[in-house]
């Protein structure tokens, strides 16, 4: 199989579940009209090493990426669903946009290369197993109001 690139036209507002699952896609230029990334849209796309998520996207759901090295996140992003960045092998750091207030269960699970996560001060809730098996994390700054919610 050969690898390929995809340009999604601006008229597209939704990409279906598992749209690129197990494909050989290398690069996807996402529609500027997109508002969310669906469950398993990029499930184990092992050749995709970077993605720029356009302004306007407010949520990323269970994507389960394979080997992303670079992710550009929009300022409009508000939440990471369960497993949003699960199984990223190469990416080392991630800075979440200021609007993000929720990090779902297993959001960064199995991120074997991740060493630093900077959540926004706006963060209200993180779920269990946020970093499960992400054993190289050296830095994670959790806002005090979230720490207080963890003890409830």
């Amino acid at each position: 199989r050969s690898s390929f690139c995809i340009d999604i036209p601006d008229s597209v507002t939704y990409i279906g579940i598992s749209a690129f699952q197990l494909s050989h896609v290398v690069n996807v230029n996402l529609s500027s009209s997109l508002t969310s990334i669906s469950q398993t849209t990029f499930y184990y796309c092992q050749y995709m090493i970077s993605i720029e998520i356009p302004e306007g996207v407010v949520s990323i759901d269970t994507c389960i990426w394979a080997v992303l090295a670079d992710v550009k996140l929009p300022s409009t992003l508000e939440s990471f669903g369960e497993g949003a960045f699960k199984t990223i092998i190469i990416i080392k750091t991630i800075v979440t946009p200021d609007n993000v207030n929720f990090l779902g269960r297993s959001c960064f699970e199995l991120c074997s290369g991740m060493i630093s996560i900077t959540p926004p001060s706006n963060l209200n809730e993180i779920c269990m197993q946020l970093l499960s098996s992400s054993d190289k994390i050296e830095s994670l700054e959790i806002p005090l109001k979230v720490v207080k919610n963890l003890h409830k």
Side-chain angles (χ1 to χ4, degrees), residues 81-103:
E82 181 176 333
F85 287 97
K86 185 176 180 178
T87 318
I88 293 182
I89 296 170
I90 299 173
I91 198 165
K92 297 206 180 307
T93 63
I94 193 160
V95 177
T96 56
D98 288 337
N99 286 338
V100 173
N101 57 36
F102 177 78
L103 297 176

Side-chain angles (χ1 to χ4, degrees), residues 4-9 15 19-20 23-31 34 37 41-42 45 47-54 65 68:
F4 57 94
C5 299
I6 297 172
D7 288 318
I8 298 175
I15 300 172
F20 301 105
S23 73
H24 287 233
V25 66
V26 172
N27 184 44
V28 175
N29 294 316
L30 296 170
S31 162
L34 206 59
I37 296 183
T41 297
F42 297 102
C45 291
Y47 300 101
M48 181 181 278
I49 59 169
S50 72
I51 191 163
E52 182 171 346
I53 299 169
W65 311 83
L68 283 180

Side-chain angles (χ1 to χ4, degrees), residues 37-41 43 59-65 79-87 102-109 126-130:
I37 296 183
S38 305
Q39 194 173 26
T40 63
T41 297
Y43 183 84
S59 67
I60 298 173
D61 203 6
T62 317
C63 284
I64 314 177
W65 311 83
S79 67
F80 294 99
E82 181 176 333
F85 287 97
K86 185 176 180 178
T87 318
F102 177 78
L103 297 176
R105 182 179 178 163
S106 305
C107 187
F108 301 110
E109 182 178 2
I126 59 175
C127 292
M128 295 175 58
Q129 299 175 327
L130 177 73

Side-chain angles (χ1 to χ4, degrees), residues 7-14 29-34 54:
D7 288 318
I8 298 175
D10 287 342
S11 59
V12 174
T13 59
Y14 174 78
N29 294 316
L30 296 170
S31 162
S32 62
S33 301
L34 206 59

